[in-house]
Amino acid sequence: GAVVSQHPSWVICKSGTSVKIECRSLDFQATTMFWYRQFPKQSLMLMATSNEGSKATYEQGVEKDKFLINHASLTLSTLTVTSAHPEDSSFYICSARDLGAGRAGANVLTFGAGSRLTVL
Amino acid sequence: AQSVTQLDSQVPVFEEAPVELRCNYSSSVSVYLFWYVQYPNQGLQLLLKYLSGSTLVKGINGFEAEFNKSQTSFHLRKPSVHISDTAEYFCAVSENQAGTALIFGKGTTLSVSS
């Protein structure tokens, strides 16, 4: 089945530094990937929709300049948290839809295992 | 826009007992509905989905859910739970178009004890 890989799974960084998280679809192509953020014991909040070859679409309240999203190919999207601060510490999860899944897979998203960011 | 309400934040049950996790949604358009499970420090795994057709949907691990359009509900059920079912369960909704994002409920923590 479809697999989405996220890297790194855990990252600790100092305040003020930038961190890049990669999201790869391993065995399928995805023109659209979604980035979610999850706080402890809470639900997943959609941050942005990443579109291959074009700018990402951000949800209201999400800072575009802080959370840079690049979708350079059909199998890779990256999320860069710039000038990270402790309040950016969270669990970031990406997801993608298998273009080749056809009607049976309509809008079924495959999720990565998530990346836990801790900013000191 | 869509929204999802999971009515129970925590559901404690004993092993081998039946369980129902409730989910209601609101939307002005037709929707797809999903249940995902999340184990600690892991991503989400799809349990089942409703896209169209039969309103009773069977998923993995013995779970099933029923789509009720009149009550805008999509409750998840399992007739007999195991300790290993202890996890966080999320109900999600999207427009019935491919490529749209999923909107999640706040989650229900299912705790199964012996």
Side-chain angles (χ1 to χ4, degrees), chain B residues 5 18 26 28 40 42 44 47 49 52 59 70 84 88 90 97 102:
Chain B
T5 302
S26 67
S28 57
Q42 295 186 29
L44 276 70
L47 277 178
K49 61 185 182 291
S52 65
S70 63
S84 58
E88 191 78 13
F90 292 98
Q97 293 182 35
L102 268 61

Side-chain angles (χ1 to χ4, degrees), chain A residues 53-72:
Chain A
S54 65
K55 292 183 178 180
T57 304
Y58 291 82
E59 295 299 302
Q60 191 173 11
V62 178
E63 298 178 60
K64 303 178 183 181
D65 295 332
K66 167 164 277 299
F67 299 101
L68 299 179
I69 292 173
N70 186 299
H71 195 150

Side-chain angles (χ1 to χ4, degrees), chain A residues 10 32 34 36 38 41-46 49 59 91 93 97 103-114 116, chain B residues 6 32 34 36 38 41-46 49 51-52 88 90 94-95 97-107:
Chain A
W10 295 82
T32 302
F34 302 96
Y36 290 85
Q38 185 180 30
K41 306 288 186 184
Q42 295 190 29
S43 187
L44 283 76
M45 301 298 297
L46 179 64
T49 301
E59 295 299 302
F91 195 51
I93 305 177
R97 174 180 170 268
R103 180 65 180 86
N107 219 39
V108 175
L109 301 183
T110 299
F111 284 80
R116 183 163 302 285
Chain B
Q6 290 184 243
Y32 294 147
F34 308 82
Y36 283 85
Q38 184 181 35
N41 295 311
Q42 295 186 29
L44 276 70
Q45 180 182 8
L46 179 67
K49 61 185 182 291
L51 303 181
S52 65
E88 191 78 13
F90 292 98
S94 75
E95 294 182 20
Q97 293 182 35
T100 56
L102 268 61
I103 305 302
F104 287 84
K106 292 188 175 182

Side-chain angles (χ1 to χ4, degrees), chain B:
Chain B
Q2 295 80 42
S3 67
V4 178
T5 302
Q6 290 184 243
L7 297 163
D8 307 295
S9 59
Q10 296 190 31
V11 174
V13 294
F14 287 109
E15 193 173 19
E16 298 183 4
V19 70
E20 179 180 78
L21 306 184
R22 297 181 292 170
C23 172
N24 286 89
Y25 70 93
S26 67
S27 177
S28 57
V29 299
S30 296
V31 297
Y32 294 147
L33 292 157
F34 308 82
W35 275 98
Y36 283 85
V37 61
Q38 184 181 35
Y39 298 100
N41 295 311
Q42 295 186 29
L44 276 70
Q45 180 182 8
L46 179 67
L47 277 178
L48 48 78
K49 61 185 182 291
Y50 171 78
L51 303 181
S52 65
S54 173
T55 57
L56 182 62
V57 179
K58 293 188 183 298
I60 62 172
N61 301 341
F63 285 94
E64 64 179 31
E66 185 157 19
F67 170 56
N68 188 317
K69 189 174 182 179
S70 63
Q71 297 187 9
T72 60
S73 68
F74 192 54
H75 301 333
L76 181 71
R77 297 189 291 259
K78 185 170 183 177
S80 176
V81 295
H82 301 290
I83 299 286
S84 58
D85 292 323
T86 296
E88 191 78 13
Y89 291 79
F90 292 98
C91 181
V93 63
S94 75
E95 294 182 20
N96 66 343
Q97 293 182 35
T100 56
L102 268 61
I103 305 302
F104 287 84
K106 292 188 175 182
T108 297
T109 302
L110 175 63
S111 299
V112 183
S113 57
S114 57

Side-chain angles (χ1 to χ4, degrees), chain A residues 6-12 19 91 114-118, chain B residues 40-42:
Chain A
Q6 271 187 253
H7 177 80
S9 55
W10 295 82
V11 58
I12 301 173
V19 174
F91 195 51
S115 299
R116 183 163 302 285
L117 170 63
T118 301
Chain B
N41 295 311
Q42 295 186 29

